[in-house]
Amino acid sequence: MAYELHYWPTIQGRGEFVRLALEAAGAPYVDVARGRVSQGQGMAAMQQYLQDESMPRPPFAAPFLVDGKLAVAQTAAILLYLGPRLSLVGKSEADRLWTHQIQLTIADLVTEVHDTHHPVGTSLYYEDQKPEARRRAQDLLKNRVPKFLAWFEAILQRNPRNAGKDVPHLVGARLSYADLSLFQLVEGLCYAFPKGAGRALKMAPQVLALHAGVQRNRPVAAYLASERRIPFNEQGIFRRYPELDR
Ligand SMILES: N[C@@H](CCC(=O)N[C@@H](CS)C(=O)NCC(=O)O)C(=O)O
């Protein structure tokens, strides 16, 4: 049975962290909201879950994954669930917990990036919060992105399994969903803030090496070159507003 991924059909957004894991593992999945209405898919199929008042454990927001009778929301929880099933996480409890911690930390930065264009309110237009957005982005690029990247760099350097390797991994010696997510984070930062993130990434050579390694991964490279990979745009989380990239 194919996994059902439910996410907004026109953006990478948070759904992309799940798409990358499914694609890297070659797992069968349906990107439901991008599918055909005639096949019971499309946006209506996703909205049905969000609005179904009879569901005892409804998702609060997309992305969510449906696997048979189970529906799991929250990006990091979806990956916690998929990790062992897709062989994208170590076997020990310590490895699984560490991978989950890294994923939650990535999610924290994703939220901070989102808040650069919506610092006052998610329900308000960007155009109605531009001065605040500029201040927020300035702090993100000056302080927050360098701090997060320094932590990713440090944990890559401290992973003993990376010694002498060209392609480092965040956990152990194999590709994990956290590696895929860090790749996506770097992609997003470089799209949204080519100047500010570019400067910060110069201080994080291991992060850049991981990014290059994931980009060369065969299923990931095939996915990135396919139509399934939605281009970044200004409706997603990583938005290119030059005025925010000072
Ligand atoms: N913490 C959640 C955030 C989920 C979330 O904010 N989803 C957005 C799209 S990326 C959404 O559909 N939000 C609707 C809402 O918050 O009302 C996660 O990591 O999955």
Side-chain angles (χ1 to χ4, degrees):
M1 277 265 284
Y3 293 107
E4 280 182 25
L5 170 65
H6 293 253
Y7 194 65
W8 304 105
T10 55
I11 60 169
Q12 292 186 19
R14 290 181 171 93
E16 197 64 13
F17 297 97
V18 184
R19 291 192 185 110
L20 274 170
L22 292 162
E23 292 278 352
Y29 78 101
V30 182
D31 207 336
V32 175
R34 296 176 75 187
R36 293 213 180 109
V37 177
S38 60
Q39 292 176 350
Q41 299 169 17
M43 279 288 289
M46 174 170 116
Q47 296 289 6
Q48 205 175 330
Y49 273 96
L50 292 166
Q51 288 158 10
D52 182 352
E53 289 181 12
S54 69
M55 229 177 139
R57 297 179 178 183
F60 173 75
F64 55 93
L65 183 90
V66 176
D67 183 17
K69 288 188 179 155
L70 192 71
V72 191
Q74 291 284 356
T75 310
I78 297 169
L79 292 168
L80 184 71
Y81 175 76
L82 283 177
R85 288 166 175 81
L86 304 183
S87 299
L88 283 174
V89 72
K91 284 203 166 52
S92 70
E93 186 179 35
D95 275 2
R96 287 185 185 184
L97 205 49
W98 178 226
T99 311
H100 184 50
Q101 278 177 68
I102 297 170
Q103 190 65 41
L104 287 168
T105 308
I106 291 171
D108 286 345
L109 181 51
V110 169
T111 297
E112 292 199 24
V113 168
H114 167 271
D115 291 351
T116 59
H117 44 82
H118 283 81
V120 181
T122 302
S123 328
L124 304 173
Y125 291 112
Y126 167 63
E127 285 67 26
D128 295 333
Q129 40 193 324
K130 277 177 131 178
E132 294 88 352
R134 269 197 290 276
R135 289 187 69 192
R136 187 71 194 250
Q138 207 170 16
D139 179 61
L140 180 96
L141 294 175
K142 185 162 177 238
N143 300 310
R144 301 299 288 166
V145 167
K147 182 172 179 177
F148 275 95
L149 287 180
W151 185 78
F152 295 126
E153 184 69 15
I155 61 173
L156 283 165
Q157 280 173 9
R158 288 181 209 171
N159 177 358
R161 308 295 296 275
N162 287 338
K165 298 263 175 69
D166 289 342
V167 178
H169 294 296
L170 283 162
V171 187
R174 289 186 48 227
L175 184 75
S176 70
Y177 65 77
D179 291 329
L180 297 166
S181 292
L182 185 54
F183 162 81
Q184 175 64 11
L185 183 65
V186 171
E187 286 279 288
L189 287 172
C190 289
Y191 173 77
F193 310 109
K195 289 190 209 150
R199 263 195 308 272
L201 278 162
K202 284 196 186 125
M203 313 297 286
Q206 288 291 296
V207 173
L208 286 175
L210 177 148
H211 174 269
V214 171
Q215 200 162 33
R216 283 196 304 270
N217 173 287
R218 203 173 285 178
V220 172
Y223 167 62
L224 296 176
S226 76
E227 285 189 354
R228 297 191 301 286
R229 172 79 164 181
I230 301 164
F232 283 110
N233 59 47
E234 279 53 67
Q235 281 81 53
I237 290 174
F238 297 100
R239 301 184 184 190
R240 181 171 287 177
Y241 293 134
E243 63 272 24
L244 300 188
D245 186 24
R246 292 275 168 83

PDB file of all heavy atoms in Angstrom, residues 88-110:
ATOM      1  N   LEU A  88      15.860   4.986   7.184  1.00  0.00           N
ATOM      2  CA  LEU A  88      16.506   6.304   7.141  1.00  0.00           C
ATOM      3  C   LEU A  88      16.829   6.801   8.551  1.00  0.00           C
ATOM      4  O   LEU A  88      16.853   8.013   8.814  1.00  0.00           O
ATOM      5  CB  LEU A  88      15.605   7.318   6.423  1.00  0.00           C
ATOM      6  CG  LEU A  88      15.581   7.217   4.900  1.00  0.00           C
ATOM      7  CD1 LEU A  88      14.542   8.158   4.297  1.00  0.00           C
ATOM      8  CD2 LEU A  88      16.963   7.505   4.293  1.00  0.00           C
ATOM      9  N   VAL A  89      17.075   5.828   9.435  1.00  0.00           N
ATOM     10  CA  VAL A  89      17.476   6.186  10.803  1.00  0.00           C
ATOM     11  C   VAL A  89      18.201   4.972  11.387  1.00  0.00           C
ATOM     12  O   VAL A  89      17.962   3.835  10.930  1.00  0.00           O
ATOM     13  CB  VAL A  89      16.227   6.577  11.650  1.00  0.00           C
ATOM     14  CG1 VAL A  89      15.363   5.380  11.992  1.00  0.00           C
ATOM     15  CG2 VAL A  89      16.597   7.332  12.909  1.00  0.00           C
ATOM     16  N   GLY A  90      19.086   5.227  12.357  1.00  0.00           N
ATOM     17  CA  GLY A  90      19.804   4.113  12.999  1.00  0.00           C
ATOM     18  C   GLY A  90      18.847   3.220  13.772  1.00  0.00           C
ATOM     19  O   GLY A  90      17.687   3.569  13.995  1.00  0.00           O
ATOM     20  N   LYS A  91      19.359   2.074  14.194  1.00  0.00           N
ATOM     21  CA  LYS A  91      18.472   1.102  14.865  1.00  0.00           C
ATOM     22  C   LYS A  91      18.340   1.358  16.359  1.00  0.00           C
ATOM     23  O   LYS A  91      17.333   1.026  16.966  1.00  0.00           O
ATOM     24  CB  LYS A  91      19.020  -0.313  14.645  1.00  0.00           C
ATOM     25  CG  LYS A  91      18.758  -0.832  13.240  1.00  0.00           C
ATOM     26  CD  LYS A  91      18.790  -2.364  13.209  1.00  0.00           C
ATOM     27  CE  LYS A  91      18.209  -2.937  11.942  1.00  0.00           C
ATOM     28  NZ  LYS A  91      18.747  -2.408  10.701  1.00  0.00           N
ATOM     29  N   SER A  92      19.390   1.936  16.965  1.00  0.00           N
ATOM     30  CA  SER A  92      19.355   2.058  18.432  1.00  0.00           C
ATOM     31  C   SER A  92      18.420   3.200  18.852  1.00  0.00           C
ATOM     32  O   SER A  92      18.188   4.154  18.084  1.00  0.00           O
ATOM     33  CB  SER A  92      20.757   2.326  18.970  1.00  0.00           C
ATOM     34  OG  SER A  92      21.170   3.627  18.604  1.00  0.00           O
ATOM     35  N   GLU A  93      17.916   3.082  20.073  1.00  0.00           N
ATOM     36  CA  GLU A  93      17.042   4.134  20.599  1.00  0.00           C
ATOM     37  C   GLU A  93      17.796   5.461  20.659  1.00  0.00           C
ATOM     38  O   GLU A  93      17.252   6.523  20.353  1.00  0.00           O
ATOM     39  CB  GLU A  93      16.532   3.741  21.986  1.00  0.00           C
ATOM     40  CG  GLU A  93      15.518   4.720  22.515  1.00  0.00           C
ATOM     41  CD  GLU A  93      14.966   4.340  23.875  1.00  0.00           C
ATOM     42  OE1 GLU A  93      15.723   3.782  24.703  1.00  0.00           O
ATOM     43  OE2 GLU A  93      13.778   4.599  24.116  1.00  0.00           O
ATOM     44  N   ALA A  94      19.095   5.365  21.043  1.00  0.00           N
ATOM     45  CA  ALA A  94      19.901   6.594  21.148  1.00  0.00           C
ATOM     46  C   ALA A  94      19.995   7.285  19.784  1.00  0.00           C
ATOM     47  O   ALA A  94      19.845   8.510  19.683  1.00  0.00           O
ATOM     48  CB  ALA A  94      21.291   6.257  21.680  1.00  0.00           C
ATOM     49  N   ASP A  95      20.219   6.507  18.733  1.00  0.00           N
ATOM     50  CA  ASP A  95      20.305   7.100  17.387  1.00  0.00           C
ATOM     51  C   ASP A  95      18.970   7.707  16.969  1.00  0.00           C
ATOM     52  O   ASP A  95      18.910   8.779  16.371  1.00  0.00           O
ATOM     53  CB  ASP A  95      20.695   6.026  16.346  1.00  0.00           C
ATOM     54  CG  ASP A  95      22.201   5.845  16.261  1.00  0.00           C
ATOM     55  OD1 ASP A  95      22.931   6.513  17.016  1.00  0.00           O
ATOM     56  OD2 ASP A  95      22.655   5.017  15.443  1.00  0.00           O
ATOM     57  N   ARG A  96      17.897   7.005  17.285  1.00  0.00           N
ATOM     58  CA  ARG A  96      16.570   7.497  16.854  1.00  0.00           C
ATOM     59  C   ARG A  96      16.202   8.801  17.562  1.00  0.00           C
ATOM     60  O   ARG A  96      15.654   9.720  16.957  1.00  0.00           O
ATOM     61  CB  ARG A  96      15.509   6.431  17.119  1.00  0.00           C
ATOM     62  CG  ARG A  96      15.676   5.328  16.116  1.00  0.00           C
ATOM     63  CD  ARG A  96      14.654   4.255  16.164  1.00  0.00           C
ATOM     64  NE  ARG A  96      15.086   3.245  15.204  1.00  0.00           N
ATOM     65  CZ  ARG A  96      14.419   2.163  14.881  1.00  0.00           C
ATOM     66  NH1 ARG A  96      13.260   1.914  15.446  1.00  0.00           N
ATOM     67  NH2 ARG A  96      14.905   1.326  14.015  1.00  0.00           N
ATOM     68  N   LEU A  97      16.537   8.825  18.845  1.00  0.00           N
ATOM     69  CA  LEU A  97      16.230  10.021  19.625  1.00  0.00           C
ATOM     70  C   LEU A  97      17.094  11.205  19.175  1.00  0.00           C
ATOM     71  O   LEU A  97      16.622  12.346  19.076  1.00  0.00           O
ATOM     72  CB  LEU A  97      16.478   9.702  21.106  1.00  0.00           C
ATOM     73  CG  LEU A  97      15.740  10.508  22.149  1.00  0.00           C
ATOM     74  CD1 LEU A  97      14.251  10.580  21.849  1.00  0.00           C
ATOM     75  CD2 LEU A  97      15.968   9.884  23.524  1.00  0.00           C
ATOM     76  N   TRP A  98      18.336  10.934  18.887  1.00  0.00           N
ATOM     77  CA  TRP A  98      19.265  11.986  18.446  1.00  0.00           C
ATOM     78  C   TRP A  98      18.829  12.522  17.076  1.00  0.00           C
ATOM     79  O   TRP A  98      18.795  13.724  16.831  1.00  0.00           O
ATOM     80  CB  TRP A  98      20.684  11.406  18.418  1.00  0.00           C
ATOM     81  CG  TRP A  98      21.787  12.314  17.948  1.00  0.00           C
ATOM     82  CD1 TRP A  98      22.766  11.993  17.066  1.00  0.00           C
ATOM     83  CD2 TRP A  98      22.070  13.669  18.355  1.00  0.00           C
ATOM     84  NE1 TRP A  98      23.616  13.058  16.876  1.00  0.00           N
ATOM     85  CE2 TRP A  98      23.212  14.103  17.659  1.00  0.00           C
ATOM     86  CE3 TRP A  98      21.447  14.561  19.222  1.00  0.00           C
ATOM     87  CZ2 TRP A  98      23.754  15.387  17.802  1.00  0.00           C
ATOM     88  CZ3 TRP A  98      21.987  15.851  19.367  1.00  0.00           C
ATOM     89  CH2 TRP A  98      23.114  16.238  18.674  1.00  0.00           C
ATOM     90  N   THR A  99      18.440  11.620  16.185  1.00  0.00           N
ATOM     91  CA  THR A  99      17.982  12.040  14.854  1.00  0.00           C
ATOM     92  C   THR A  99      16.722  12.907  14.996  1.00  0.00           C
ATOM     93  O   THR A  99      16.571  13.934  14.326  1.00  0.00           O
ATOM     94  CB  THR A  99      17.689  10.800  13.973  1.00  0.00           C
ATOM     95  OG1 THR A  99      18.803   9.907  14.064  1.00  0.00           O
ATOM     96  CG2 THR A  99      17.474  11.179  12.519  1.00  0.00           C
ATOM     97  N   HIS A 100      15.831  12.494  15.892  1.00  0.00           N
ATOM     98  CA  HIS A 100      14.594  13.253  16.139  1.00  0.00           C
ATOM     99  C   HIS A 100      14.916  14.640  16.716  1.00  0.00           C
ATOM    100  O   HIS A 100      14.323  15.647  16.325  1.00  0.00           O
ATOM    101  CB  HIS A 100      13.722  12.440  17.098  1.00  0.00           C
ATOM    102  CG  HIS A 100      12.376  13.031  17.372  1.00  0.00           C
ATOM    103  ND1 HIS A 100      11.516  13.456  16.378  1.00  0.00           N
ATOM    104  CD2 HIS A 100      11.731  13.268  18.548  1.00  0.00           C
ATOM    105  CE1 HIS A 100      10.407  13.930  16.930  1.00  0.00           C
ATOM    106  NE2 HIS A 100      10.516  13.837  18.240  1.00  0.00           N
ATOM    107  N   GLN A 101      15.873  14.685  17.632  1.00  0.00           N
ATOM    108  CA  GLN A 101      16.274  15.991  18.192  1.00  0.00           C
ATOM    109  C   GLN A 101      16.780  16.920  17.109  1.00  0.00           C
ATOM    110  O   GLN A 101      16.465  18.112  17.081  1.00  0.00           O
ATOM    111  CB  GLN A 101      17.432  15.802  19.188  1.00  0.00           C
ATOM    112  CG  GLN A 101      17.027  15.370  20.567  1.00  0.00           C
ATOM    113  CD  GLN A 101      18.279  15.150  21.423  1.00  0.00           C
ATOM    114  OE1 GLN A 101      18.994  16.079  21.748  1.00  0.00           O
ATOM    115  NE2 GLN A 101      18.543  13.901  21.758  1.00  0.00           N
ATOM    116  N   ILE A 102      17.605  16.368  16.209  1.00  0.00           N
ATOM    117  CA  ILE A 102      18.146  17.205  15.125  1.00  0.00           C
ATOM    118  C   ILE A 102      17.003  17.705  14.251  1.00  0.00           C
ATOM    119  O   ILE A 102      16.939  18.873  13.873  1.00  0.00           O
ATOM    120  CB  ILE A 102      19.179  16.399  14.287  1.00  0.00           C
ATOM    121  CG1 ILE A 102      20.370  15.991  15.161  1.00  0.00           C
ATOM    122  CG2 ILE A 102      19.645  17.216  13.083  1.00  0.00           C
ATOM    123  CD1 ILE A 102      21.313  14.986  14.493  1.00  0.00           C
ATOM    124  N   GLN A 103      16.051  16.811  13.964  1.00  0.00           N
ATOM    125  CA  GLN A 103      14.909  17.191  13.125  1.00  0.00           C
ATOM    126  C   GLN A 103      14.096  18.309  13.784  1.00  0.00           C
ATOM    127  O   GLN A 103      13.671  19.252  13.115  1.00  0.00           O
ATOM    128  CB  GLN A 103      14.013  15.964  12.879  1.00  0.00           C
ATOM    129  CG  GLN A 103      12.945  16.202  11.847  1.00  0.00           C
ATOM    130  CD  GLN A 103      13.534  16.449  10.455  1.00  0.00           C
ATOM    131  OE1 GLN A 103      14.478  15.776  10.062  1.00  0.00           O
ATOM    132  NE2 GLN A 103      12.983  17.401   9.726  1.00  0.00           N
ATOM    133  N   LEU A 104      13.893  18.204  15.082  1.00  0.00           N
ATOM    134  CA  LEU A 104      13.135  19.245  15.787  1.00  0.00           C
ATOM    135  C   LEU A 104      13.887  20.575  15.753  1.00  0.00           C
ATOM    136  O   LEU A 104      13.281  21.652  15.684  1.00  0.00           O
ATOM    137  CB  LEU A 104      12.866  18.810  17.234  1.00  0.00           C
ATOM    138  CG  LEU A 104      11.813  17.695  17.390  1.00  0.00           C
ATOM    139  CD1 LEU A 104      11.829  17.134  18.808  1.00  0.00           C
ATOM    140  CD2 LEU A 104      10.415  18.220  17.066  1.00  0.00           C
ATOM    141  N   THR A 105      15.211  20.497  15.792  1.00  0.00           N
ATOM    142  CA  THR A 105      16.020  21.718  15.742  1.00  0.00           C
ATOM    143  C   THR A 105      15.917  22.347  14.349  1.00  0.00           C
ATOM    144  O   THR A 105      15.817  23.575  14.205  1.00  0.00           O
ATOM    145  CB  THR A 105      17.487  21.398  16.110  1.00  0.00           C
ATOM    146  OG1 THR A 105      17.494  20.692  17.355  1.00  0.00           O
ATOM    147  CG2 THR A 105      18.310  22.659  16.246  1.00  0.00           C
ATOM    148  N   ILE A 106      15.923  21.505  13.331  1.00  0.00           N
ATOM    149  CA  ILE A 106      15.714  22.011  11.962  1.00  0.00           C
ATOM    150  C   ILE A 106      14.337  22.682  11.874  1.00  0.00           C
ATOM    151  O   ILE A 106      14.188  23.772  11.310  1.00  0.00           O
ATOM    152  CB  ILE A 106      15.862  20.859  10.937  1.00  0.00           C
ATOM    153  CG1 ILE A 106      17.325  20.410  10.867  1.00  0.00           C
ATOM    154  CG2 ILE A 106      15.342  21.280   9.552  1.00  0.00           C
ATOM    155  CD1 ILE A 106      17.581  19.149  10.067  1.00  0.00           C
ATOM    156  N   ALA A 107      13.336  22.034  12.473  1.00  0.00           N
ATOM    157  CA  ALA A 107      11.971  22.601  12.449  1.00  0.00           C
ATOM    158  C   ALA A 107      11.936  23.969  13.144  1.00  0.00           C
ATOM    159  O   ALA A 107      11.203  24.871  12.709  1.00  0.00           O
ATOM    160  CB  ALA A 107      10.997  21.640  13.126  1.00  0.00           C
ATOM    161  N   ASP A 108      12.718  24.117  14.205  1.00  0.00           N
ATOM    162  CA  ASP A 108      12.761  25.423  14.894  1.00  0.00           C
ATOM    163  C   ASP A 108      13.253  26.509  13.935  1.00  0.00           C
ATOM    164  O   ASP A 108      12.675  27.604  13.864  1.00  0.00           O
ATOM    165  CB  ASP A 108      13.704  25.368  16.106  1.00  0.00           C
ATOM    166  CG  ASP A 108      13.106  24.587  17.274  1.00  0.00           C
ATOM    167  OD1 ASP A 108      11.895  24.341  17.265  1.00  0.00           O
ATOM    168  OD2 ASP A 108      13.875  24.221  18.200  1.00  0.00           O
ATOM    169  N   LEU A 109      14.323  26.200  13.195  1.00  0.00           N
ATOM    170  CA  LEU A 109      14.844  27.221  12.270  1.00  0.00           C
ATOM    171  C   LEU A 109      13.861  27.464  11.122  1.00  0.00           C
ATOM    172  O   LEU A 109      13.691  28.603  10.679  1.00  0.00           O
ATOM    173  CB  LEU A 109      16.238  26.824  11.740  1.00  0.00           C
ATOM    174  CG  LEU A 109      16.898  27.831  10.792  1.00  0.00           C
ATOM    175  CD1 LEU A 109      16.922  29.259  11.365  1.00  0.00           C
ATOM    176  CD2 LEU A 109      18.315  27.412  10.427  1.00  0.00           C
ATOM    177  N   VAL A 110      13.195  26.415  10.674  1.00  0.00           N
ATOM    178  CA  VAL A 110      12.190  26.590   9.605  1.00  0.00           C
ATOM    179  C   VAL A 110      11.117  27.586  10.070  1.00  0.00           C
ATOM    180  O   VAL A 110      10.711  28.481   9.330  1.00  0.00           O
ATOM    181  CB  VAL A 110      11.560  25.227   9.211  1.00  0.00           C
ATOM    182  CG1 VAL A 110      10.348  25.416   8.307  1.00  0.00           C
ATOM    183  CG2 VAL A 110      12.597  24.343   8.514  1.00  0.00           C
TER     184      VAL A 110
END
